[in-house]
């Protein structure tokens, strides 16, 4: 059997300590690093014990689709870091968002969402929700008057992303939380771009936080994963049964990778954010570029909101290249260091042309509504020397 180490003492630890030690349980062997319990099932001492455990009358593991010790260590560590009561880890970020939206929803419910959302999330809202008899109202995420109009009717959930993909728009978390609560709903924040290091939505009034752990938590491009964080009772009432019986659970191997990823996440995210800041400032004076969008720069149209709810500017920036699609593609083709990829939050700097890749499935009008045209490139700044990253961009643009 495993035992909790120093149980109860975790509450007083500071974030960097929680990231290294939070949630750790050790087996009878006393291993230093967290063990990888790569098993699907569990055995019991007796049929009485099995029956009691399956009835929920006795604590303990049953089956890794429900819970697994390595996955549990990750869930507890992330919950402590986020300041959430509990967490459920999932096989991908989209499994988290799908479970979060579908498990609690009922026909006749309404969801309010900004157009500036991750494209697979838009797909669920457009294609899955109507089939379930759920109405979706779309707003401009950064326009509070639009939110107020949308919240004149009851709403079950609002779901936001801030900074958003790909133009790093800000949504005022506290204001949208208040409006959502007044309409009888709960606010879900997809906090992937900021990461738990730079932004804490629950402290700003959000009810739920969802992650793709594929991004900054893994941070080295190895595993897919996701997480749902919220109040224990809410998870039990709204999420748990659906999660157990439909199988979106995270694999123990992936949980072990991201559990170890959390130990270095603070260092990585802060360094990537510093690098991104330097690169954004340097590109702002480049005459091949018409605009730089970086949440940490005062020329970002939503800088004040970002500054009020997010620490630093994060690892993502977008640039608008003079000469449109042709010039943007030409620059991508000349890069020597930065990789062309739709992933983000990685130690390797990655760049993509959103209008023809990640946002390809949106209609022209939908892209226009979020201000995305063919001139934009989205850069995820990694851990390389920022001089090398900047020089690669400058030679590619020149
Ligand atoms: C990547 C991402 C997702 C989806 O996560 P997966 O792990 O790829 O399923 C959701 N939201 C945002 C903001 C993302 O960047």
């Amino acid at each position: 059997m495993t035992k909790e180490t120093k149980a109860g003492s975790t509450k007083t630890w500071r974030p960097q300590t929680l990231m290294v030690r939070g949630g750790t349980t050790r087996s009878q062997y006393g291993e230093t690093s967290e063990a990888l319990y790569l098993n699907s099932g569990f055995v019991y001492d007796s049929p009485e014990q099995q029956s009691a455990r399956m009835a929920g009358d006795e604590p303990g593991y049953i089956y890794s689709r429900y819970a697994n010790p390595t996955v549990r260590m990750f869930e507890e560590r992330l919950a402590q870091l986020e300041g959430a009561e509990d967490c459920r880890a999932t096989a991908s970020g989209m499994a988290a968002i799908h479970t979060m939206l579908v498990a609690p929803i009922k026909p006749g419910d309404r969801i309010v969402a900004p157009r500036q959302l991750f494209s697979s999330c838009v797909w669920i809202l457009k294609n899955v929700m109507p089939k379930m008899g759920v109405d979706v109202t779309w707003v401009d995420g950064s326009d509070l008057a639009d939110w107020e109009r949308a919240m004149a009717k009851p709403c079950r959930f609002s779901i936001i992303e801030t900074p958003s993909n790909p133009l790093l728009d800000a949504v005022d978390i506290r204001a949208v939380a208040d409006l959502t609560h007044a309409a009888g709903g709960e606010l879900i924040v997809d906090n992937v771009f900021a990461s738990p290091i730079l932004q804490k939505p629950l402290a700003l009034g959000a009810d739920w936080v969802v992650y793709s752990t594929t991004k900054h938590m893994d941070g080295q491009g190895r595993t897919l994963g996701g997480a749902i964080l919220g109040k224990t009772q809410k998870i039990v009432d709204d999420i748990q049964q659906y999660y157990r019986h439909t199988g979106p659970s995270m694999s123990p191997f992936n949980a072990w990778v991201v559990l170890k990823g959390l130990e270095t996440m603070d260092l990585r995210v802060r360094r990537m954010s510093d690098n991104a800041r330097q690169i954004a400032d340097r590109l702002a004076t480049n005459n091949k570029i018409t605009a730089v969008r970086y949440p940490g720069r005062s020329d970002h149209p939503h800088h004040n909101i970002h500054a009020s709810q997010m620490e630093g500017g994060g690892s993502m920036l977008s640039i608008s290249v003079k000469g449109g699609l042709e010039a943007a593609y030409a620059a991508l083709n000349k890069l020597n260091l930065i990789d062309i990829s739709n992933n983000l939050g990685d130690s390797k700097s990655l760049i993509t042309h959103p209008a023809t890749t990640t946002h390809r499935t949106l209609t022209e009008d939908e892209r226009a509504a979020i201000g995305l045209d063919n001139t934009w490139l989205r850069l995820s700044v990694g851990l390389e020397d920022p001089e090398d990253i900047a020089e690669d961009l400058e030679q590619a643009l020149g």
Side-chain angles (χ1 to χ4, degrees):
M1 278 304 288
T2 59
K3 71 178 174 57
E4 294 274 344
T5 52
K6 302 182 182 118
S9 61
T10 57
K11 282 184 192 66
T12 58
W13 288 342
R14 293 167 183 82
Q16 183 55 62
T17 308
L18 291 176
M19 270 179 276
V20 176
R21 292 185 172 266
T24 302
T25 54
R26 290 194 167 117
S27 77
Q28 71 271 32
Y29 300 116
E31 63 281 353
T32 313
S33 175
E34 295 73 5
L36 168 51
Y37 292 90
L38 197 56
N39 61 305
S40 45
F42 298 83
V43 298
Y44 310 91
D45 294 336
S46 65
E48 289 82 3
Q49 184 187 48
Q50 180 182 20
S51 176
R53 218 179 268 183
M54 296 188 77
D57 295 336
E58 181 195 290
Y61 293 100
I62 298 166
Y63 191 50
S64 286
R65 167 150 50 76
Y66 288 19
N68 167 281
T70 306
V71 178
R72 196 63 200 139
M73 283 192 260
F74 168 70
E75 291 171 340
E76 290 191 354
R77 185 171 294 179
L78 183 58
Q80 289 169 12
L81 172 61
E82 190 71 43
E85 286 181 8
D86 209 348
C87 172
R88 290 293 178 276
T90 57
S92 68
M94 286 322 303
I97 293 173
H98 183 255
T99 302
M100 179 71 248
L101 289 174
V102 173
I105 209 87
K106 292 192 304 293
D109 281 348
R110 194 170 69 99
I111 298 176
V112 180
R115 293 177 197 93
Q116 302 96 325
L117 276 187
F118 189 73
S119 57
S120 295
C121 193
V122 172
W123 190 91
I124 291 175
L125 292 173
K126 274 202 213 164
N127 295 281
V128 179
M129 288 305 151
K131 280 200 271 193
M132 304 184 68
V134 173
D135 194 29
V136 179
T137 304
W138 298 95
V139 296
D140 175 352
S142 51
D143 181 350
L144 275 183
D146 215 9
W147 279 105
E148 276 167 23
R149 278 190 295 275
M151 291 303 181
K153 288 189 288 179
C155 120
R156 177 68 179 91
F157 287 120
S158 49
I159 177 164
I160 62 170
E161 210 186 291
T162 179
S164 70
N165 184 23
L167 296 183
L168 296 325
D169 290 334
V171 181
D172 186 332
I173 298 175
R174 196 180 290 281
V176 172
D178 289 347
L179 286 167
T180 304
H181 295 154
E186 293 165 34
L187 171 62
I188 306 162
V189 178
D190 177 339
N191 202 35
V192 168
F193 272 42
S195 90
I197 305 298
L198 303 180
Q199 187 167 267
K200 292 276 199 295
L202 298 176
L204 296 164
D207 303 280
W208 299 92
V209 175
V210 289
Y211 284 107
S212 163
T213 68
T214 316
K215 314 296 166 56
H216 301 88
M217 291 186 199
D218 177 301
Q220 291 160 76
R222 298 161 296 188
T223 60
L224 282 171
I228 300 170
L229 295 118
K231 289 206 157 54
T232 305
Q233 196 57 49
K234 285 273 175 194
I235 290 178
V236 169
D237 292 345
D238 286 349
I239 303 291
Q240 182 148 300
Q241 292 306 316
Y242 192 92
Y243 176 95
R244 287 182 167 193
H245 300 298
T246 63
S249 26
M250 179 183 266
S251 90
F253 181 79
N254 289 5
W256 180 76
V257 173
V258 286
L259 178 65
K260 303 306 286 178
L262 290 183
E263 293 182 9
T264 57
M265 182 170 64
D266 185 79
L267 297 172
R268 289 184 287 103
V269 167
R270 290 183 195 283
R271 174 65 74 85
M272 286 153 86
S273 187
D274 287 350
N275 288 355
R277 165 95 226 183
Q278 288 179 46
I279 291 161
D281 288 346
R282 193 149 147 184
L283 289 175
T285 61
N286 189 299
N287 64 10
K288 299 292 193 306
I289 286 172
T290 49
V292 175
R293 279 278 184 114
Y294 183 62
R297 277 179 59 86
S298 57
D299 60 0
H300 188 293
H302 311 140
H303 173 70
N304 290 343
I305 296 172
H306 280 314
S308 73
Q309 60 191 21
M310 181 177 168
E311 198 191 321
S315 60
M316 305 295 296
L317 62 96
S318 289
I319 54 175
S320 174
V321 180
K322 271 184 200 164
L325 180 66
E326 215 175 310
Y329 267 36
L332 292 179
N333 279 316
K334 276 194 255 165
L335 290 166
N336 296 321
L337 172 71
I338 302 165
D339 292 307
I340 300 171
S341 172
N342 41 283
N343 204 3
L344 62 99
D346 199 277
S347 56
K348 295 184 168 62
S349 292
L350 305 173
I351 195 164
T352 194
H353 182 260
T356 55
T357 62
T358 53
H359 291 65
R360 181 182 47 84
T361 55
L362 300 189
T363 65
E364 189 97 25
D365 285 349
E366 287 169 331
R367 279 197 293 273
I370 61 167
L372 178 65
D373 62 28
N374 271 331
T375 65
W376 289 97
L377 293 174
R378 185 199 75 186
L379 177 66
S380 168
V381 177
L383 292 173
E384 305 95 336
D385 191 309
E387 285 294 315
D388 286 332
I389 305 169
E391 281 173 12
D392 193 36
L393 285 163
E394 282 163 0
Q395 67 78 23
L397 289 161

